[in-house]
Amino acid sequence: MVKRDINYLSNIDISEIKGFGEKRIKSLNKSGIKSIVDLIRFYPRKHIDRSDILTIEDVRSLFEFKEITVLVKIVKVSVFTTRSRLRIATLLVSDETGDAKAKWFGPQYIETRFKEGDTVAISGVPDVKKTGSVEFKNATIEKYLEFDELNETGALIPIYKKIEGLSSTLIRKGIKHALKRTPEIEDYINDEQLTDYELLDRTTSLNDIHFPEGLSNYYKAKKRLAFDEFIYLQTIFKRKKKSNKLITGSEKIQSNNELMEAFTENLDFELTSAQKRTINEILIDMNKNSPMKRLLQGDVGSGKTIVAACAVYSASNAGFKSALMAPTEVLAEQHYNSLNPILDKHNIKTYLLTSSVKDRSEIINQMSSAEPVFFIGTHALIQENVVFNNLGLAIIDEQQRFGVDQRKKLIESSNIIPHQIVMTATPIPRTTALAVYGDLDISIIDELPPGREEIENILLSGLESDNNQVVDYCKQHLLDNSQIFVVCPYIDESENKDIKAAENVYEQYINLFPDSNVKILHGRMKSEEKELIMSQMNNGQIDILVSTVVIEVGIDIANATLMIIESAERFGLNQLHQLRGRVGRGSKKSQCIFHISNKLTIDTITDVGKQRLSAIVSTNDGFKLSEMDLQIRGEGKVTGTDQSGLSDLKIADLRYDFEILNLSKLFFNKEITPELEERLYLEATLLFPNFMKVEDTT
Ligand code: ADP
Ligand code: MG
């Protein structure tokens, strides 16, 4: 038999499939189905199990009422219209073991499609009366000639996403036909490998994903097809990385080892070995004409900022500007406050640009100057529409908070192509990282600076006794001269409501702790006010700082040892982790209280809230949490809008398919020859058009 490959099949138009007229072809095209391959890869949403074929006698003794199929002969057809003009079509049917009735309510014209003497298959949930009579209501029925030709009954029936103008039946028939036309599809995995990797062959998988004999066949097919998708992804991204490396236009930034050593030795602390390793990876990349694109991942508090600062130092020494863009003013200011003194010692000028900075002319002049200065800012950095002169390095902090466009804009606002560092404290699970950042190189800081005590997690309900405990914890920390963060309920996207909630909580704490210095911080306050409060908190003058989520990222105060998150069930998992990361920065033992809303308990909040809270208290490891988060939220939310590439994944499920991903990586690295890779790449370009389009994820 001739084996057809994907490439060949993608050239066969669906107009060659029986039953698809012009109009339907238009609808199919609209849904992205143009070739036979597209049709075959239009995988079902689910299956309905009608595979249980029973005799009428079996039906009578059914213990539970479930969907079953009977194969019967029509004895009599009748139609009746009630006084309320409801049409009822009734078929009297029988097999060797007995007879049954099947009724349809409404205009389904059963009587025109079936006649006495026809053999039919009927699937539905039967009704068995006390007298033993069997009746189906609005069941699925089709003519039965040969078992193989049954389309809607007698098996696991695939259900597809709706396509306008096409019935499920028609889609099923079309796919069956397409599969028949392609009896053998060439497989890039040979028999021996199929056994070794416990995979099903391609042809069987494509058949069984639609029309499996049993569920286990379906799952095997699904595993194989998900495996293929991961293989394709790896092929695409390997190629992308390679071609990224061929792009030139960045300036080589050679780091001066002696200066760099002096720079790092001058810091207040010793770099962790993970920091040293990542700095090294970055410096090597920067010393190339092809732009570095590196994702710097590290848990909250792992010390990403100083790694970025080393890169800035190197760029500046070589005569290039750098820019660091942060998502919030508070964070940009904090970066400025911590990095400016360090860089200033080495005569590198740092400028802060946020919306609150009034006098911009000097900064804007500097953007186009020849000086190798460093800019820290919010998106205000890209709003000036100034072209940076010789921006050699662009750093995006907390990249998950920016859209693709904003990141791109920063990159494009230079006369040269800057090297790029993208930082995130929301580690991306392995599968998603492959799908979203496959073309970035990844550096991971997998170690926290030494001397940090593990944060203790405390989950408290909103019942009175627990509320009192919150107060007790506060007292203990205050006695110890430690400082406390209280983060207020996250209501929704509107900051006004958050501020209102924060003001209420603020009142409560003022009343509870009249002898302590309690302050409030929120996003609507003037920049000077915020800064004053932050510096007071920094200096230890404030005992309790009540705030909205503006505090979420960045803030770093070693003497703060208690974090109280009010209405914790309302926050997202990553948010909770970020907030918790605001304490545990120093050597004192820190605690984080997840306080459920007033009067509620873990048993009376939503399921999702419950899952998030049990996840957050179960571990302090951000990487683990982000995988849990993915499972709680579902991948849809993760993929979001600006990561459209993911829509190409038709069957691999980023939440659950880690093992298949790992298997595919193993296969990819061990078994794929250059020729095969070439072929798979070709197929991938056909099957993953969106991934091919995602030019830059940064
Ligand atoms: P994140 O990775 O969350 O952005 P930061 O870069 O803000 O973390 O660092 C958190 C804190 O840890 C800062 O106060 C920073 O000065 C400090 N820090 C960074 N690296 C080290 C280190 N190697 N040893 C001790 N403290 C460090
Ligand atoms: Mg940070």
Side-chain angles (χ1 to χ4, degrees), residues 89 102-106 108 122-125 136-141:
K103 290 185 175 173
W104 284 266
F105 301 84
Q108 302 194 29
I122 296 178
S123 287
V125 181
F136 291 89
K137 292 198 177 77
N138 291 325
T140 307
I141 179 170

Side-chain angles (χ1 to χ4, degrees), residues 299-301 303-305 331 334-335 397-398 423-425 553-554 578 582 585:
D299 210 339
V300 186
K304 294 181 289 292
T305 321
L331 190 54
Q334 180 177 302
H335 283 322
D397 193 18
E398 306 289 342
M423 303 200 282
T424 177
V553 282
Q578 294 279 330
R582 296 308 122 215
R585 296 278 174 147

Side-chain angles (χ1 to χ4, degrees), residues 489-505:
Y490 176 67
I491 312 277
D492 52 32
E493 295 298 322
S494 98
E495 233 217 342
N496 281 333
K497 287 190 189 155
D498 286 355
I499 291 172
K500 192 99 202 129
E503 277 163 353
N504 289 337
V505 174

Side-chain angles (χ1 to χ4, degrees), residues 113-182:
R113 288 160 51 205
F114 301 96
K115 58 177 196 309
E116 209 177 295
D118 284 349
T119 317
V120 292
I122 296 178
S123 287
V125 181
D127 207 4
V128 182
K129 302 264 161 67
K130 279 215 180 83
T131 56
S133 70
V134 175
E135 193 172 302
F136 291 89
K137 292 198 177 77
N138 291 325
T140 307
I141 179 170
E142 64 182 326
K143 285 219 171 94
Y144 172 64
L145 296 169
E146 240 183 276
F147 191 73
D148 269 359
E149 286 181 15
L150 284 180
N151 197 30
E152 292 174 69
T153 57
L156 283 167
I157 305 301
I159 306 296
Y160 299 92
K161 211 177 87 197
K162 281 241 161 352
I163 294 184
E164 215 188 292
L166 278 93
S167 66
S168 284
T169 313
L170 211 62
I171 297 175
R172 256 176 245 137
K173 280 188 176 155
I175 290 176
K176 235 181 207 173
H177 185 208
L179 286 166
K180 283 217 174 101
R181 271 206 60 155
T182 50

Side-chain angles (χ1 to χ4, degrees), residues 507-544:
E507 291 294 322
Q508 286 169 21
Y509 275 85
I510 286 187
N511 291 331
L512 282 167
F513 302 98
D515 301 329
S516 300
N517 187 7
V518 185
K519 282 276 152 63
I520 185 168
L521 179 77
H522 60 71
R524 287 281 154 78
M525 289 163 61
K526 283 208 194 88
S527 166
E528 299 94 78
E529 264 180 291
K530 275 191 285 184
E531 202 158 326
L532 181 70
I533 287 184
M534 283 318 300
S535 71
Q536 286 176 347
M537 186 73 183
N538 234 333
N539 302 336
Q541 289 163 273
I542 294 176
D543 301 310
I544 302 177

